[in-house]
Amino acid sequence: MFHSIRWRLVASFVALTVLTVAIIGVVGLSLLKRQTEQRERDYLAANATAIARQAYPLLESAYGAEGL
């Protein structure tokens, strides 16, 4: 029954569909991961910059301008 051309054709279409969905899934997951990591880096860099701006006057007054 599974040796007929009809079942081979169905099996090849199913295999092609599964392969295509798997490739799209892997590529999509990779792109999503990369975008998420970039957003996290940008968020952390913005926070670090904000903290540095707030801390600089405190460090400058504590150590003087020549201490930095």
Side-chain angles (χ1 to χ4, degrees), residues 1-33:
M1 181 169 121
F2 292 111
H3 296 290
S4 69
I5 190 76
R6 172 195 258 170
W7 288 109
R8 288 182 185 178
L9 190 58
V10 169
S12 67
F13 282 140
V14 168
L16 184 62
T17 302
V18 168
L19 181 65
T20 303
V21 169
I23 290 172
I24 289 172
V26 168
V27 170
L29 186 62
S30 174
L31 291 174
L32 184 63
K33 182 179 177 184

Side-chain angles (χ1 to χ4, degrees), residues 52-62:
R53 284 185 188 146
Q54 291 176 357
Y56 185 75
L58 298 173
L59 293 172
E60 189 177 50
S61 64

